[in-house]
Amino acid sequence: MSSRTATKPADDQPFDFNLDTVEAEVDLTPFRVHWAGRRWTLQHSEELDIWGLADGAARGDVAATISIFKLALGPEQWTEFRKTRMPQYKMKALFDAYRKHCGLGELEASPSS
């Protein structure tokens, strides 16, 4: 009996939604910040890879925040960015400014018990 090779079907069938044509609905201007004597450029949050964001979110709030900055800075900048000690209050201020730049508004405080 001879083995059969699977053939890829032609992609000539109609589809319901063409994701290739979707464009961002917001201005994707990068966010620039000065820290530790140099300029850092972060991609707009709408351009970040959703799979990387989901991986960070699955590990909790701190991991999610770090994942956002890691993705936004890209591998080369992230490596350099991590070489400088970052006080938590500065990271909070940076995250708030980045969220505002990306049109995500202010973080709401947790309701008190």
Side-chain angles (χ1 to χ4, degrees):
M1 182 170 188
S2 65
S3 63
R4 298 192 326 188
T5 306
T7 59
K8 185 177 179 183
D11 190 15
D12 61 354
Q13 298 299 307
F15 45 82
D16 297 310
F17 181 70
N18 187 352
L19 190 55
D20 290 333
T21 64
V22 174
E23 298 288 332
E25 294 181 4
V26 297
D27 179 12
L28 299 177
T29 302
F31 179 68
R32 293 173 185 88
V33 61
H34 191 268
W35 166 243
R38 67 172 275 192
R39 173 191 294 254
W40 305 91
T41 302
L42 289 79
Q43 281 186 317
H44 191 284
S45 65
E46 288 287 315
E47 286 195 292
L48 302 182
D49 178 50
I50 190 64
W51 310 125
L53 293 173
D55 289 344
R59 295 189 317 266
D61 290 346
V62 173
T65 301
I66 291 170
S67 291
I68 289 167
F69 285 113
K70 186 175 183 179
L71 291 168
L73 286 163
E76 188 174 306
Q77 283 191 106
W78 176 249
T79 299
E80 291 302 309
F81 190 77
R82 286 278 289 125
K83 289 180 181 179
T84 303
R85 180 183 176 279
M86 172 71 70
Q88 185 172 323
Y89 73 92
K90 287 192 182 269
M91 179 58 84
K92 181 185 178 308
L94 176 59
F95 190 56
D96 289 347
Y98 179 67
R99 285 180 51 85
K100 184 176 179 182
H101 171 82
C102 294
L104 299 173
E106 299 293 321
L107 288 174
E108 293 184 23
S110 300
S112 32
S113 306

